[in-house]
């Protein structure tokens, strides 16, 4: 009798396949990114990200209600300020655009978790994630002075009502500095989700259109990680854990599934994956051409992130996925 083992036995019926499925995506896994801009009743679609918009605060609130009604537990807010300067004033000012949006959403939809991206690149005139030496055209961000601005930014965001602080600038010591800043301002209960292993990636291109945050010169390779490195991700997460991170993120997701797996194996903290703008844009472009089945491709990809070990997924497909999961 050959073969003894026939794995196909468990694939012969849809209900049986459902019973033995190892990894299942749920709406609870999803976090939806939103881009806040000044103004009123304003919505502008991002050309390279069909279905994603820059939204004024009133529109962000409408969107937050829709997200909540779909059962998605959280949003993450990014901001595009009216003015940019070398001190990233729009990031840490009490009236900063993300602070305004956070306050408005928490007032209108108190049960929706509001995460905030804590970085300076959307607010600096040069588009880098921190302070530069005056006249520096290399983009080598000054680490320790930048930490002070990040602390101020996180405290302003917490004051506005943010539920989770998500620092993304890849500065050394940024989790520790922000933890200390939050604690000394009385926000010891606000968790930090660190963009712990964030790579210098071409997949952020469409986001930089959406957030108007492309560096004016140089690039981010002196602070974001080199795509060739795997073990270094474990060094980064060990540091962030020691500094008090509550959750860890790997970013981008698709080309870094091995990193998601290694990070999950190395820690018992919740791990998130950021299914970034370029990953979204590729799927959208192919789907709009009729070249792929968007629903099946998206659900397969998101399930793949779960299989790789993520607990949470930041994705621009979150609303669509939540709808598809309802059917
Ligand atoms: C800011 C930030 C970026 C993203 C999230 N936070 C861009 C960057 O580092 O240049 C990218 C998200 C995406 O591509 O969807 N530091
Ligand atoms: Zn940044």
């Amino acid at each position: 009798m050959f073969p003894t083992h026939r794995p196909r036995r468990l694939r012969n019926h849809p209900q049986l396949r459902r019973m033995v499925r190892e990894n299942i995506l749920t709406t609870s896994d999803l976090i939806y990114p939103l881009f806040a801009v000044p103004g009123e009743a304003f919505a502008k679609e991002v050309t390279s990200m069909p279905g994603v918009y820059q939204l004024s605060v009133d529109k962000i609130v409408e969107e937050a209600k829709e997200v909540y009604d779909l059962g998605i537990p959280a949003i993450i807010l990014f901001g595009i300020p009216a003015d940019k300067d070398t001190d990233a004033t729009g990031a840490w000012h009490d009236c900063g655009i993300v602070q305004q949006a956070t306050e408005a959403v928490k007032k209108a939809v108190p049960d929706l978790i509001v995460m905030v991206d804590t970085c300076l690149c959307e607010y600096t005139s040069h588009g880098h994630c921190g302070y530069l030496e005056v006249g520096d055209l290399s983009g080598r961000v000054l680490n320790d002075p930048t930490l002070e601005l990040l602390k101020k930014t996180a405290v302003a965001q917490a004051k506005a009502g943010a539920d989770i602080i998500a620092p993304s600038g890849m500065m050394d010591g940024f989790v520790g500095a922000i933890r200390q800043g939050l604690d000394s301002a009385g926000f010891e209960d606000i968790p930090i989700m660190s963009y712990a292993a964030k790579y210098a990636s071409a997949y952020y291109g469409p986001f930089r259109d959406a957030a108007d945050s492309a560096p004016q010169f140089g690039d981010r390779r002196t602070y974001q990680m080199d795509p060739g490195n795997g073990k270094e991700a474990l060094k980064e997460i060990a540091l962030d854990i020691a500094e008090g991170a509550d959750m860890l993120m790997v970013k981008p997701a698709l080309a870094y599934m091995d990193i998601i797996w290694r990070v999950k194996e190395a820690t018992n903290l919740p791990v998130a994956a950021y299914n970034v703008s370029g990953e979204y844009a590729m799927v959208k472009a192919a789907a709009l051409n009729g070249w792929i089945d968007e629903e099946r491709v998206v659900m397969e990809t998101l399930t793949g992130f779960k299989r790789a070990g993520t607990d949470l997924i930041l994705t621009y497909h979150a609303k669509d996925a939540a709808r598809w999961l309802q059917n």
Side-chain angles (χ1 to χ4, degrees):
M1 281 290 281
F2 174 84
T4 309
H5 294 287
R6 293 180 183 272
R8 290 181 56 191
R9 283 176 195 137
L10 297 183
R11 295 179 200 141
N12 281 332
H13 193 288
Q15 299 296 6
L16 190 49
R17 290 197 293 274
R18 192 177 140 219
M19 288 163 68
V20 300
R21 191 162 296 140
E22 297 170 42
N23 295 284
I24 298 170
L25 178 76
T26 72
T27 308
S28 314
D29 302 322
L30 304 171
I31 299 168
Y32 189 55
L34 288 171
F35 298 95
V37 293
E40 228 180 293
F42 179 88
K44 184 173 166 226
E45 194 169 35
V46 180
T47 314
S48 51
M49 300 177 75
V52 172
Y53 296 80
Q54 296 180 335
L55 299 170
S56 54
V57 171
D58 53 318
K59 292 280 182 189
I60 291 264
V61 169
E62 281 175 27
E63 192 75 4
K65 285 183 185 150
E66 194 187 328
V67 168
Y68 181 73
D69 288 340
L70 282 166
I72 296 168
I75 56 170
I76 179 163
L77 289 175
F78 296 92
I80 301 106
D83 300 298
K84 302 183 186 236
D85 57 29
T86 52
D87 291 332
T89 308
W92 47 263
H93 200 278
D94 282 337
C95 303
I97 185 69
V98 161
Q99 285 76 304
Q100 288 179 36
T102 300
E103 236 178 277
V105 171
K106 286 312 291 184
K107 203 167 146 205
V109 203
D111 284 339
L112 182 69
I113 294 290
V114 175
M115 292 179 47
V116 287
D117 181 87
T118 305
C119 198
L120 307 176
C121 48
E122 293 123 64
Y123 309 92
T124 51
S125 35
H126 44 64
H128 278 285
C129 300
Y131 265 129
L132 297 181
E133 196 96 59
V134 179
D136 181 346
L137 291 180
S138 71
R140 211 167 309 121
V141 168
L142 300 172
N143 196 85
D144 298 8
T146 298
L147 297 182
E148 293 309 308
L149 290 185
L150 290 175
K151 259 197 231 183
K152 266 180 30 177
T153 304
V155 170
Q157 292 169 330
K159 270 196 210 155
D163 296 296
I164 299 175
I165 301 295
S168 65
M170 290 298 283
M171 295 298 125
D172 294 337
F174 70 155
V175 171
I178 288 172
R179 186 70 272 160
Q180 192 192 52
L182 289 172
D183 289 357
S184 51
F187 295 110
E188 51 283 293
D189 279 338
I190 302 282
I192 296 175
M193 172 187 276
S194 175
Y195 287 63
K198 175 173 176 181
Y199 287 84
S201 173
Y203 283 99
Y204 307 151
F207 172 95
R208 292 178 189 172
D209 297 339
D212 184 24
S213 65
Q216 302 298 301
F217 47 82
D219 55 43
R220 302 209 203 289
R221 284 178 236 224
T222 65
Y223 39 106
Q224 298 178 349
M225 287 173 60
D226 189 304
N229 294 351
K231 282 185 193 155
E232 193 189 7
L234 301 180
K235 175 166 95 181
E236 285 284 356
I237 65 157
L239 292 171
D240 286 6
I241 293 168
E243 290 172 28
D246 299 279
M247 297 188 258
L248 303 168
M249 192 201 295
V250 174
K251 180 183 169 194
L254 271 178
Y256 299 88
M257 291 282 221
D258 57 322
I259 306 298
I260 297 173
W261 177 262
R262 287 166 84 165
V263 167
K264 186 61 189 175
E265 293 279 290
T267 172
N268 43 29
L269 296 188
V271 174
Y274 201 138
N275 178 210
V276 300
S277 57
E279 298 169 347
Y280 175 84
M282 291 194 302
V283 170
K284 277 286 167 190
L288 287 169
N289 273 295
W291 294 340
I292 56 169
D293 177 334
E294 183 177 14
E295 175 175 346
R296 289 193 56 202
V297 164
V298 170
M299 296 311 262
E300 182 178 334
T301 301
L302 299 180
T303 302
F305 298 146
K306 293 292 291 180
R307 196 189 60 246
T310 53
D311 301 289
L312 296 163
I313 304 164
L314 297 91
T315 179
Y316 304 97
H317 299 291
K319 286 200 303 177
D320 291 333
R323 280 192 203 102
W324 293 326
L325 284 167
Q326 281 172 355
N327 301 328

